[in-house]
Amino acid sequence: MTRSPVRVVCPGSFDPVTHGHLDVISRAARLYDEVVVAVGVNVSKSRLFTADERLEMLREACAGFTNVRVEGFTGLLTDFCRQQDAQAIVKGLRAGDFDYELQMAQMNARLAPEVETVFLPTTPELAYLASSLVKEVASLGGDVTGLLPEPVRLRLLDRLAGRRTTET
Ligand code: PNS
């Protein structure tokens, strides 16, 4: 019996993409037929990188995956999942994430009962990684080598240096 391909969505802000995100994306790409990485491009939130920059960095970082594509979305994630005909939302889960992630998963289930949420526990070596922490450490001069793709790290340092120049 043939089955139809399973398409899932990996959502996030990706400001910027880290090896933690790529770990979840690569594991989803092994588990499912098609992965759509959904970059939240909500204009009201303040981000270090623009939507176009985040999309560009992710597309470059995901270029090696044959079954992954990167798209921007606005509005509700569940609407995007329906537009994409995706069966599930796949998210990485760190120790401290559970309560909020469960709340979002249950709200999303109410909005779109046909779209499941699947949690992948983060790889222990990457469990402490978060874009916000990487940005904070880098902005204070800490070394973030190995925590994010090298071209993304260089763009981050460049952006932070530009900010320091404009802020002084
Ligand atoms: O990387 P983040 O910041 O954890 O990503 C959060 C994101 C973009 C996945 C989340 O904010 C989201 O789903 N936004 C879309 C708006 C929406 O659907 N809100 C209702 C969630 S229950």
Side-chain angles (χ1 to χ4, degrees):
M1 200 174 77
T2 55
R3 65 166 179 83
S4 38
V6 179
R7 182 179 300 141
V8 300
V9 164
C10 284
S13 322
F14 305 101
D15 186 40
V17 57
T18 69
H19 282 319
H21 296 129
L22 293 172
D23 177 56
V24 173
I25 293 166
S26 67
R27 288 160 66 198
R30 278 201 305 273
L31 283 169
Y32 301 104
D33 301 301
E34 292 174 37
V35 176
V36 183
V37 179
V39 183
V41 295
N42 193 336
V43 283
S44 69
K45 291 207 174 162
S46 92
R47 305 282 183 205
L48 185 60
F49 291 99
T50 66
D52 283 346
E53 288 171 327
R54 287 180 279 136
L55 284 162
E56 186 186 325
M57 287 187 278
L58 258 169
R59 288 195 175 120
E60 199 179 314
C62 293
F65 301 111
T66 52
N67 60 340
V68 175
R69 68 186 152 85
V70 179
E71 306 284 353
F73 80 100
T74 53
L76 287 174
L77 178 60
T78 44
D79 287 343
F80 178 77
C81 290
R82 281 181 168 152
Q83 281 159 23
Q84 295 290 322
D85 203 16
Q87 280 102 317
I89 297 163
V90 176
K91 298 191 97 177
L93 194 67
R94 292 169 297 208
D97 291 340
F98 184 72
D99 288 355
Y100 185 52
E101 289 295 343
L102 180 65
Q103 201 179 1
M104 283 203 287
Q106 290 172 336
M107 179 61 86
N108 285 332
R110 185 179 183 279
L111 293 167
E114 77 280 16
V115 180
E116 291 287 354
T117 294
V118 177
F119 292 127
L120 297 182
T122 48
T123 298
E125 296 75 34
L126 302 169
Y128 61 92
L129 249 185
S131 296
S132 53
L133 209 52
V134 169
K135 284 185 283 192
E136 182 178 328
V137 169
S139 72
L140 297 171
D143 183 10
V144 293
T145 305
L147 302 182
L148 60 181
E150 191 56 12
V152 178
R153 185 183 75 89
L154 296 175
R155 280 179 83 150
L156 173 62
L157 297 185
D158 201 47
R159 176 58 43 90
L160 293 170
R163 276 204 157 184
R164 271 192 293 275
T165 312
T166 54
E167 278 167 13
T168 51

